[in-house]
């Protein structure tokens, strides 16, 4: 039996199971890769919001990373919640090393707040994300709020997405995927490396249960990159996967429910 591609997520834990490490590993399983994890923070979190956040020491993050990478190896890495300046800088250094050693692509989801609006990144860490983390990224996947925090560019219409992408690319990622899900109308994203442009559109589903969409999309991109897809192919497939997961999202608790990471199993897809 062949060994599946190995994908590492470096992110926080969501005790409610809808986002973070839990969403990442579910996505990776659904797309046929072996998921591995480096935990950066623990959250007390449910459908109503985040009740508490406890970041791990940089030493613990570094030890988890070394333990996995030095023994098992990795074909792609995805980052999510990094919480603090120290963790951003620690992870950025580890990613630069992995890129040089394995040539593994890196998907950076610059998580700033939860779906409920709870802060998951210290304001002081924004500069470290810009100068240390984004330059390691094969693909950066900010939503419109994250674009505004990182670059100051505010997107109000689809025509603003190019300007947002240029501002993100100026910080060093090879590709920027600007997620336009907060705009009115169809869910439209722009993927560009500054030369090529790929406009990705999907119908907007009447479903409020969208917890974990950003984590899920970034993890799906990493999974497809680990399987040898090009960046445009990986992002296009990941967009299709997350669109289906949103359509199948379900209520859980009293607030915002999760997307359904296993929707393809239930509809007979592959």
């Amino acid at each position: 039996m062949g060994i599946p591609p190995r994908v590492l997520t470096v992110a926080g834990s969501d005790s409610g199971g809808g986002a973070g490490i839990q969403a990442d590993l579910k996505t990776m399983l659904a797309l046929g890769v072996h998921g591995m994890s480096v935990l950066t923070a623990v959250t007390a979190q449910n459908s109503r919001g985040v009740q508490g956040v406890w970041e791990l020491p940089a030493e613990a993050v570094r030890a988890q990373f070394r333990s996995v990478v030095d023994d098992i190896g990795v074909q792609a890495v995805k980052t999510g919640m990094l919480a603090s300046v120290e963790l951003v800088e620690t992870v950025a250094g580890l990613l630069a090393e992995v890129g040089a050693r394995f040539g593994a692509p890196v998907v950076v989801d610059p998580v700033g707040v939860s779906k409920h609006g709870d802060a998951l990144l210290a304001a002081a860490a924004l500069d470290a994300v810009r100068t240390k983390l984004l330059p390691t990224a094969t693909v950066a996947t900010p939503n419109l709020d994250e674009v505004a925090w990182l670059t100051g560019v505010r997107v109000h219409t689809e025509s603003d997405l190019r300007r947002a992408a240029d501002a993100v690319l100026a910080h060093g990622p090879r590709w920027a995927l600007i997620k336009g899900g907060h705009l009115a109308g169809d869910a439209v994203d722009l993927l560009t490396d500054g030369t090529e442009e790929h406009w990705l559109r999907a119908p907007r589903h009447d479903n409020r249960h969208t917890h974990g969409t950003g984590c899920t999309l970034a993890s799906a991109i990493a999974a497809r990159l680990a399987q040898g897809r090009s960046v445009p192919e990986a992002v296009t497939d990941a967009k299709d996967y997350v669109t289906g997961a949103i359509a199948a999202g379900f209520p859980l608790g009293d607030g915002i429910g999760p997307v359904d990471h296993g929707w393809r199993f239930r509809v007979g897809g592959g």
Side-chain angles (χ1 to χ4, degrees), residues 29-51:
L29 177 64
L31 297 184
V33 300
H34 176 69
M36 307 171 293
S37 62
V38 169
L39 192 63
T40 60
V42 175
T43 70
Q45 188 171 169
N46 56 28
S47 68
R48 295 188 297 255
V50 178
Q51 291 78 46

Side-chain angles (χ1 to χ4, degrees), residues 64-122:
Q64 292 175 81
F65 198 100
R66 290 260 67 88
S67 180
V68 171
V69 170
D70 291 349
D71 176 49
I72 301 173
V74 65
Q75 275 76 56
V77 183
K78 175 261 179 185
T79 71
M81 176 187 176
L82 300 182
S84 69
V85 174
E86 185 178 19
L87 289 184
V88 171
E89 292 179 344
T90 297
V91 171
L94 293 167
L95 292 175
E97 177 187 331
V98 163
R101 181 176 169 189
F102 295 99
V106 174
V107 180
V108 170
D109 183 16
V111 175
V113 299
S114 74
K115 181 69 68 177
H116 306 86
D118 303 290
L120 299 176
L121 180 72

